[in-house]
Amino acid sequence: MSKTINVALIGNPNTGKTSVFNALTGLNQKVGNYPGITVEKKQGSCRLNQTTKAHIIDLPGTYSLNASSMDESVVIELLLNRNDKDYPDVAVVISDIENLKRNLLLFTQIKDLKIPTLLVINMSDRMVDKGISLNVNKLEQKLKTKIALTSTRENKGIEFLKTCLLDFRSLSKVGCLDITKIDEAYFGNLQKVFPDQSLYKLWLVISQDVNFAKIERKKVQDATEYKTQPISHLKRLQQKETIKRYQYINQSLKETYSVDQSKATDYRSKLDRILIHRLWGYIIFFLILLTIFQVIFGWSSIPMDFIDERFTKLSEYTKINLPPGLFTNLLAEGIISGLGGIVIFIPQIAFLFLFIAVLEETGYMSRVVFLMDRGLRKYGLSGKSVIPLISGTACAIPAVMATRNIENWKERLITILVTPFTTCSARLPVYLILISLVIPEGKFLGMGYQGLTLMGLYLLGFAMALLSAGILNKMLKIQSKTYFVIEMPNYKLPLLKNILITVFEKTKSFVVEAGRIILAISILLWLMASFGPGKEFNQAEEIIMSRSKVKSFTAEQLENEIASHKLEHSFIGILGKTIEPAIAPLGFDWKIGIALISSFAAREVFVGTLATIYSVGNDQEETIKNRMKAERKSDGSLLFDLPTGISLMLFYAFALQCMSTLAIVKKETNGWKWPMIQLLSMTLIAYLSALIVYQILV
Amino acid sequence: MITLDLIEKNQLGKIVAIDTDLLPLKLIEMGCLPGNEVYLEQLAPLKDPMYLVIDGCHLAIRTEIAKNIKIELI
């Protein structure tokens, strides 16, 4: 009979908490969301011995239990709610050897919650380099805990950590700080009112707005009366608490932890002198960005071409080898074509996630924030907006979530509103196919026109984001304090395992999420294209046959004529025809109109939609691109010519065609007001710019 | 006594007083407390934000926050 213990990993950001999590769980992990909120929830399992398993939950990184963001309040809520199924049997506080003092602040807070607490001191491989010496046994006595010295880089100490976890019952539950010492009158009074409650828990509930689980809240409901204290008084008490904690920590570290500066090598300062130099810093950042784009587009094309070809073959194979009928058509024309549209850009998304993960793991991202803060402030953004804007090139959804560590509400709101302008990977397949259709292959200064166009579209996205941020900054009248604080962590070589797991998890969840929508839409589209009302659709063959001009047609021409007549009078055709007058001035026909409508679910549907529409009733062995190339207007000229192509690209560059982004913005801004404003203004900008450009070019 | 935004490179300061109402708690928790030492590691272009080392902790803050911290040069 095996039993399971609940383990919670808690720690400051940049302590290698995730490395410890990965070392313990390997690939036995899953990433989801906390119910109702979009904070990432990572959990995994790890076998400790024959009979015991650990269920490990990796809590979001936090500097203390005084929550200032949604991610941090998740930590407090779990630790205060004994009835939560994830409530830890043992809390593991991860610290890093270099910042032990600051990391211990959180440790003392967790310990005061009277949860069995184990201390992990990670990155022990750096002790020699940094001239650090540590007396583990003595520190264990001082802090009344068990310490596991680990190095995830050298894979040391993890087995020892597991044995410590097994032995969690022997951990002391004695707290660190006598909280009444902060203000005896105040806390004495509090204890009198709630004699059977833990004072520190009460204090946490009083000192911050955390949305506690119902049961716990009922018990301490009356405690909120104590909130009537002026905020400044509460803050002063929090400051006093912090001072007391540091006194305790300094006391504990005095005889146990020492740094011999003469032996320490400080490559952080040396690297910083170059990487955030007022000139070189920017040049290096620009070169890094350039390399990223080069790699994404250069390296991805090979696997992408391969995937494209495979899916086209698969679709044909299905048609030939399965018995003909409705189901086979749905599979070959609806589902496989639609899925091909998403699978094809897995390589690019994976590369992008890879680079973002590397930039974050190495500690370079904080430097970018530092470099860009002043410049971005002009536009009402923060240096921390860089991370959302860069991750926005992968997907706006994680990017909007990444705005959470922007402390200033106005800066955060503006970042959320403009992030969808950055060129997300869902726009890529649209751009790629349109560019290859309408932009010639020539070269300019050694760079292909096509590559330059793509680069231009990315720059356009950033420029539009900045421009609209500047306008919003002038328009929005929101007063909020600036609380910009960012840690500048030491540089680290990224751990391959961490990077690979991150890339795998993120790509997987992206593909699953997007795939689900695309699958549903492909099926719906196929149904709408395969059926229609009235006799125009149902008697298409007779109608075409009765026309005199078909007499000279070959069998193949005849079939095409019937198929296109059917499509035009199917449900989807009628829908497309209805909106055609509105989009005709932009150079779009009703088939593109259908793709635009379905793109409002998600942009990446565009290619899949066209594939579905064009392949209905089409048996030829052709790729999507060739089918699009063959499309003609009623006057016989090419449908996808330069003006239409450019107009369409601009529309996709500016329009907010993504239901998931709207949903996440609604969650992050607590209401429909901002997502609706965002949707309307972005659609308007897209429509007008496409209209103007098409009318000029045509 | 000067405010922290005026500290220059190669100067070592000691925090004397902080304005609790105007400072984020996070900064205090990272060691920005009276008695702790502080020096300037680097300034971003246009002298903002400031990259400081407070009590061994490397962090960056904007000058407008630094104005609320009083230091003594030592």
Side-chain angles (χ1 to χ4, degrees):
Chain A
M1 195 39 208
S2 85
K3 60 179 184 334
T4 306
I5 58 170
N6 277 337
V7 178
L9 301 189
I10 308 161
N12 292 11
N14 305 312
T15 49
K17 185 166 60 68
T18 303
S19 311
V20 174
F21 178 70
N22 287 341
L24 284 171
T25 61
L27 277 173
N28 291 323
Q29 50 175 275
K30 67 173 201 260
V31 183
N33 277 336
Y34 288 91
I37 49 174
T38 44
V39 176
E40 204 172 68
K41 180 178 186 177
K42 290 172 90 172
Q43 45 192 341
S45 67
C46 164
R47 183 158 285 285
L48 298 176
N49 66 12
Q50 258 86 24
T51 54
T52 317
K53 255 170 66 177
H55 169 248
I56 299 172
I57 175 157
D58 184 16
L59 289 168
T62 176
Y63 288 101
S64 82
L65 284 187
N66 299 309
S68 57
S69 75
M70 215 187 325
D71 294 41
E72 290 168 3
S73 43
V74 165
V75 179
I76 307 174
E77 281 200 34
L78 175 64
L79 296 181
L80 287 183
N81 185 5
R82 270 178 198 286
N83 298 315
D84 195 303
K85 68 172 173 34
D86 291 326
Y87 183 81
D89 296 306
V90 52
V92 179
V93 175
I94 318 279
S95 64
D96 108 57
I97 186 83
E98 273 186 78
N99 299 303
L100 191 56
K101 193 205 274 183
R102 174 164 50 80
N103 295 162
L104 283 178
L105 182 76
L106 180 64
F107 171 82
T108 64
Q109 291 175 327
I110 307 284
K111 202 134 166 34
D112 285 348
L113 289 173
K114 312 284 157 72
I115 298 170
T117 308
L118 186 78
L119 180 65
V120 167
I121 302 181
N122 195 18
M123 307 197 196
S124 58
D125 49 297
R126 289 193 164 189
M127 285 174 73
V128 180
D129 271 356
K130 294 286 163 187
I132 296 169
S133 47
L134 178 72
N135 185 335
V136 174
N137 287 336
K138 207 160 179 189
L139 189 60
E140 279 181 339
Q141 286 165 22
K142 294 258 180 195
L143 296 174
K144 302 180 211 76
T145 186
K146 185 89 191 150
I147 293 175
L149 206 57
T150 62
S151 161
T152 40
R153 187 168 303 275
E154 293 173 354
N155 212 5
K156 280 183 189 153
I158 298 296
E159 288 308 312
F160 180 67
L161 171 60
K162 286 183 188 170
T163 54
C164 294
L165 284 175
L166 275 173
D167 199 22
F168 75 94
R169 283 206 173 75
S170 67
L171 288 167
S172 145
K173 284 205 234 174
V174 181
C176 293
L177 185 74
D178 179 3
I179 192 157
T180 52
K181 291 267 166 59
I182 299 170
D183 184 331
E184 295 200 6
Y186 178 80
F187 284 99
N189 192 17
L190 199 61
Q191 187 73 89
K192 252 181 247 156
V193 185
F194 304 99
D196 48 352
Q197 286 289 326
S198 143
L199 260 186
Y200 182 58
K201 281 189 185 179
L202 282 173
W203 170 234
L204 276 178
V205 176
I206 292 167
S207 58
Q208 54 213 300
D209 284 309
V210 182
N211 194 15
F212 290 103
K214 274 185 194 115
I215 303 159
E216 289 289 311
R217 193 195 287 159
K218 221 161 97 191
K219 275 195 226 150
V220 289
Q221 210 169 31
D222 311 323
T224 47
E225 283 171 25
Y226 286 77
K227 275 197 174 158
T228 48
Q229 291 269 2
I231 300 282
S232 61
H233 182 68
L234 282 178
K235 261 194 100 174
R236 221 152 286 155
L237 288 179
Q238 280 181 318
Q239 189 196 337
K240 258 183 137 177
E241 180 197 337
T242 309
I243 294 174
K244 291 264 176 223
R245 288 190 187 281
Y246 271 119
Q247 280 170 356
Y248 173 84
I249 293 164
N250 286 333
Q251 198 63 39
S252 310
L253 289 179
K254 210 166 79 187
E255 293 158 32
T256 54
Y257 179 91
S258 64
V259 184
D260 185 348
Q261 288 295 354
S262 64
K263 285 186 190 153
T265 47
D266 187 14
Y267 56 92
R268 166 157 49 186
S269 295
K270 283 183 194 133
L271 273 172
D272 275 339
R273 240 163 271 158
I274 306 164
L275 290 178
I276 51 180
H277 185 270
R278 59 188 59 184
L279 177 65
W280 299 122
Y282 291 99
I283 294 177
I284 291 169
F285 178 51
F286 185 72
L287 287 179
I288 289 176
L289 281 188
L290 212 64
T291 314
I292 292 176
F293 286 127
Q294 192 54 48
V295 168
I296 287 173
F297 300 117
W299 293 5
S300 307
S301 61
I302 301 160
M304 286 176 81
D305 288 344
F306 175 77
I307 293 169
D308 193 22
E309 191 196 333
R310 285 293 109 188
F311 265 88
T312 315
K313 287 258 162 64
L314 182 65
S315 176
E316 282 162 27
Y317 179 85
T318 318
K319 263 193 170 173
I320 296 165
N321 290 291
L322 287 181
L326 212 55
F327 177 72
T328 306
N329 284 344
L330 171 65
L331 199 62
E333 294 165 357
I335 297 174
I336 294 178
S337 302
L339 281 183
I342 172 112
V343 174
I344 190 163
F345 59 105
I346 289 178
Q348 279 175 328
I349 294 177
F351 271 127
L352 206 58
F353 282 136
L354 176 82
F355 280 110
I356 291 171
V358 170
L359 292 187
E360 286 194 339
E361 277 263 317
T362 51
Y364 181 70
M365 209 59 125
S366 304
R367 273 68 188 184
V368 178
V369 171
F370 179 75
L371 276 177
M372 306 301 282
D373 184 59
R374 190 65 186 82
L376 286 175
R377 232 182 295 165
K378 264 197 304 220
Y379 302 97
L381 300 170
S382 151
K384 294 187 182 178
S385 309
V386 171
I387 298 168
L389 290 177
I390 293 180
S391 356
T393 56
C395 176
I397 297 157
V400 168
M401 292 191 328
T403 61
R404 275 192 202 132
N405 54 15
I406 301 174
E407 301 87 350
N408 178 312
W409 169 242
K410 186 179 172 185
E411 289 172 348
R412 184 170 165 220
L413 179 64
I414 295 179
T415 311
I416 291 175
L417 292 179
V418 305
T419 292
F421 276 122
T422 54
T423 305
C424 70
S425 47
R427 286 180 175 103
L428 256 185
V430 183
Y431 288 170
L432 291 178
I433 205 155
L434 289 174
I435 286 176
S436 67
L437 280 174
V438 304
I439 306 290
E441 277 185 14
K443 282 200 170 187
F444 177 75
L445 292 179
M447 305 260 287
Y449 288 141
Q450 300 193 336
L452 283 173
T453 310
L454 194 61
M455 177 111 184
L457 284 165
Y458 270 87
L459 292 178
L460 186 70
F462 284 125
M464 198 62 197
L466 282 187
L467 181 71
S468 39
I471 294 170
L472 284 168
N473 188 29
K474 291 259 154 42
M475 279 167 50
L476 293 176
K477 297 277 175 272
I478 301 173
Q479 290 294 329
S480 52
K481 277 187 207 161
T482 167
Y483 276 157
F484 183 88
V485 179
I486 182 159
E487 195 193 347
M488 304 290 265
N490 214 336
Y491 291 103
K492 287 191 267 287
L493 273 178
L495 280 178
L496 187 65
K497 188 177 177 185
N498 284 355
I499 302 276
L500 292 183
I501 289 180
T502 309
V503 171
F504 176 75
E505 286 294 336
K506 292 211 161 157
T507 312
K508 190 180 85 183
S509 71
F510 183 90
V511 171
V512 170
E513 288 293 314
R516 219 180 280 157
I517 303 173
I518 291 175
L519 193 64
I521 289 183
S522 306
I523 294 173
L524 185 71
L525 276 175
W526 180 85
L527 285 174
M528 287 177 72
S530 303
F531 297 96
K535 70 171 197 262
E536 284 285 345
F537 181 87
N538 294 311
Q539 292 161 23
E541 278 166 46
E542 289 88 337
I543 292 168
I544 295 292
M545 294 299 263
S546 66
R547 288 187 185 161
S548 54
K549 66 168 182 177
V550 302
K551 299 235 163 64
S552 58
F553 277 15
T554 62
E556 194 185 318
Q557 278 174 316
L558 190 66
E559 218 169 276
N560 282 344
E561 192 72 17
I562 294 170
S564 77
H565 187 82
K566 268 188 153 175
L567 184 60
E568 207 176 323
H569 294 93
S570 67
F571 287 109
I572 194 112
I574 294 166
L575 191 62
K577 287 266 176 191
T578 315
I579 68 158
E580 197 172 25
I583 56 172
L586 277 56
F588 306 160
D589 72 346
W590 59 274
K591 285 183 188 172
I592 299 178
I594 296 167
L596 286 186
I597 294 174
S598 60
S599 288
F600 269 95
R603 298 176 183 92
E604 57 270 38
V605 179
F606 176 82
V607 180
T609 303
L610 288 183
T612 308
I613 295 173
Y614 292 147
S615 64
V616 171
N618 189 335
D619 289 329
Q620 283 153 6
E621 298 176 18
E622 274 181 310
T623 60
I624 300 163
K625 192 176 136 187
N626 288 337
R627 284 187 208 132
M628 286 172 73
K629 212 177 209 162
E631 273 299 299
R632 289 184 185 266
K633 291 182 195 161
S634 48
D635 63 5
S637 62
L638 283 177
L639 173 66
F640 289 99
D641 54 4
L642 189 69
T644 300
I646 301 275
S647 157
L648 200 50
M649 281 191 260
L650 282 178
F651 192 89
Y652 272 83
F654 298 145
L656 179 57
Q657 299 157 293
C658 182
M659 292 193 305
S660 320
T661 304
L662 285 177
I664 197 90
V665 172
K666 188 214 154 214
K667 263 184 190 162
E668 298 290 315
T669 60
N670 287 324
W672 280 111
K673 179 184 164 196
W674 291 112
M676 282 302 131
I677 291 176
Q678 197 177 20
L679 174 67
L680 290 177
S681 41
M682 286 181 73
T683 310
L684 195 67
I685 293 170
Y687 188 87
L688 289 179
S689 45
L691 177 71
I692 293 167
V693 168
Y694 182 75
Q695 294 302 333
I696 291 172
L697 286 177
V698 94
Chain B
M1 201 161 67
I2 55 168
T3 50
L4 181 57
D5 57 305
L6 299 172
I7 195 171
E8 281 170 26
K9 264 197 136 172
N10 302 318
Q11 287 182 332
L12 186 63
K14 187 181 204 172
I15 299 173
V16 182
I18 56 175
D19 189 333
T20 325
D21 294 342
L22 295 173
L23 284 189
L25 186 61
K26 196 163 133 193
L27 187 59
I28 295 168
E29 286 168 348
M30 284 174 135
C32 181
L33 285 165
N36 283 341
E37 285 181 357
V38 55
Y39 64 87
L40 179 68
E41 174 83 30
Q42 215 161 328
L43 276 179
L46 302 169
K47 305 198 168 172
D48 195 13
M50 316 174 76
Y51 177 2
L52 301 161
V53 181
I54 300 179
D55 194 26
C57 179
H58 294 62
L59 49 88
I61 57 174
R62 291 181 181 168
T63 44
E64 49 183 315
I65 297 181
K67 285 195 173 107
N68 302 312
I69 301 166
K70 291 198 173 70
I71 59 160
E72 202 171 58
L73 293 176
I74 47 176

